[in-house]
Amino acid sequence: MIWIVILLTFAVDQLTKYLVSHNFHYLESIPIIPKIFYLTYVHNYGAAFGILQGRRELFILVAIVVLAFIIYFYKQLPKDRISRLALGLALGGTIGNLVDRLRLGYVIDFFDFQVWPIFNIADSAIVIGMALFAWILFNDYTAKS
């Protein structure tokens, strides 16, 4: 199951980035729900919220370390479906953004809620995966207390 989640997350991320980059002009913005949600094509040379702009090598190194860490400890992680889903989302998203950084030198972002930094499928998968892990850890901790 985990490999399917990783591959689907990666594939959907790369497909949406391809569609945006080949159908939008750079910085083009199309309202989906005016004043709330737009598709806006941008290049992100930084991390979340645009911090650490131009630190490509750092982000590549961090992604590789995270991937190596997760793969190394994979057998020790819980085997339940939620944990596998969380891990698959986090890994698929990390690989998706890593591929962008290696191939393009930046990450393609396009979901624009106007009050939040512009993001992509990989970012969403990483956040959802980590939120699921936090939920699992919190529930495991409270169950043992």
Side-chain angles (χ1 to χ4, degrees):
M1 174 186 144
I2 188 170
W3 300 110
I4 292 169
V5 174
I6 291 169
L7 288 173
L8 279 175
T9 301
F10 175 75
V12 170
D13 174 65
Q14 292 297 297
L15 176 63
T16 56
K17 289 172 179 174
Y18 174 84
L19 291 172
V20 167
S21 66
H22 285 78
N23 291 291
F24 282 64
H25 297 288
Y26 181 64
L27 298 178
E28 181 179 0
S29 187
I30 297 174
I32 304 302
I33 303 171
K35 298 184 182 181
I36 297 174
F37 177 61
Y38 294 73
L39 293 180
T40 304
Y41 173 33
V42 299
H43 298 166
N44 183 353
Y45 293 89
F49 310 111
I51 62 171
L52 300 173
Q53 290 289 318
R55 303 293 306 263
R56 177 178 176 248
E57 294 81 11
L58 173 66
F59 299 126
I60 291 170
L61 178 64
V62 167
I64 291 170
V65 168
V66 166
L67 291 171
F69 181 80
I70 292 172
I71 291 166
Y72 181 77
F73 287 105
Y74 173 75
K75 291 188 180 206
Q76 297 168 359
L77 293 170
K79 305 290 188 250
D80 61 279
R81 287 185 180 187
I82 301 268
S83 296
R84 297 299 170 129
L85 175 63
L87 182 63
L89 289 169
L91 285 172
T94 300
I95 294 167
N97 281 343
L98 177 60
V99 165
D100 278 11
R101 289 190 196 286
L102 290 170
R103 188 171 61 89
L104 305 170
Y106 54 83
V107 173
I108 295 171
D109 287 337
F110 51 89
F111 290 136
D112 183 0
F113 283 94
Q114 303 288 296
V115 296
W116 193 259
I118 302 170
F119 60 98
N120 60 42
I121 297 285
D123 299 334
S124 300
I126 293 166
V127 169
I128 292 167
M130 292 297 98
L132 282 172
F133 269 125
W135 181 76
I136 291 164
L137 291 173
F138 177 76
N139 282 322
D140 187 50
Y141 173 78
T142 55
K144 291 180 181 178
S145 297

